[in-house]
Amino acid sequence: MTTTIEVGMLGLGTVGSGVVERLARSAAKIEQTQGIRLHLAAVAVNHLNAHRTVQLPIGTRLTDSLTNVVCDRKIQLVIEVMGTVATAKKAIVAALNQGKAVVTANKDLIATAGPELAALAKNGAAIYSMKPALRVAFLSYGH
């Protein structure tokens, strides 16, 4: 039996585009070995009309509202790849307060607010630093 996890992503620059591509390449293997389907439900960006080099999966909602992603009741996992500190922290705090799991690539944010975010995560949510999380995923599911 496959469990679907609804994913929201914040940012779609170089790192975000790489995440989308990796999710697409690894989807079948993740589902086959783990019984998990990661559905990219929504992506928040600064500029809706900016040129993008990556194709989003069919049905993925593109929005310029971080709130629409982090407060969407259906989204269970938020991937933060924006490259800011203050805006990212605000979005991550909102997601954690909603009980969502969060994966972030933001080393500066983890360095400056890691303990605060970890304390929020204890209330039923979770936060993961992207580099170690992606390393495990890429070693396990990468092509």
Side-chain angles (χ1 to χ4, degrees):
M1 182 169 167
T2 300
T3 300
T4 298
I5 296 175
E6 297 293 328
V7 178
M9 192 163 69
L10 311 177
L12 192 58
T14 302
V15 176
S17 295
V19 170
V20 170
E21 291 170 352
R22 180 59 69 161
L23 285 174
R25 276 198 313 263
S26 303
K29 190 168 185 181
I30 292 170
E31 186 171 341
Q32 183 179 60
T33 60
Q34 301 301 312
I36 296 170
R37 179 177 174 264
L38 298 172
H39 174 248
L40 186 59
V43 178
V45 296
N46 270 334
H47 307 287
L48 287 173
N49 297 321
H51 173 71
R52 313 234 185 272
T53 59
V54 67
Q55 175 105 20
L56 291 175
I58 294 172
T60 300
R61 188 175 77 246
L62 189 65
T63 178
D64 60 359
S65 171
L66 298 172
T67 303
N68 284 350
V69 175
V70 299
C71 293
D72 184 327
R73 293 177 194 256
K74 294 178 186 173
I75 291 176
Q76 301 159 278
L77 170 65
V78 174
I79 300 173
E80 182 277 312
V81 287
M82 294 188 297
T84 67
V85 175
T87 304
K89 180 181 177 185
K90 184 177 177 182
I92 289 171
V93 166
L96 291 171
N97 283 333
Q98 303 245 349
K100 299 179 188 308
V102 175
V103 176
T104 181
N106 199 326
K107 296 179 290 240
D108 290 338
L109 179 59
I110 294 298
T112 58
E116 177 186 348
L117 298 175
L120 286 173
K122 290 181 182 175
N123 297 329
I127 186 160
Y128 304 95
S129 176
M130 184 175 276
K131 193 167 183 177
L134 285 181
R135 179 172 166 72
V136 170
F138 290 171
L139 290 175
S140 299
Y141 306 108
H143 294 115

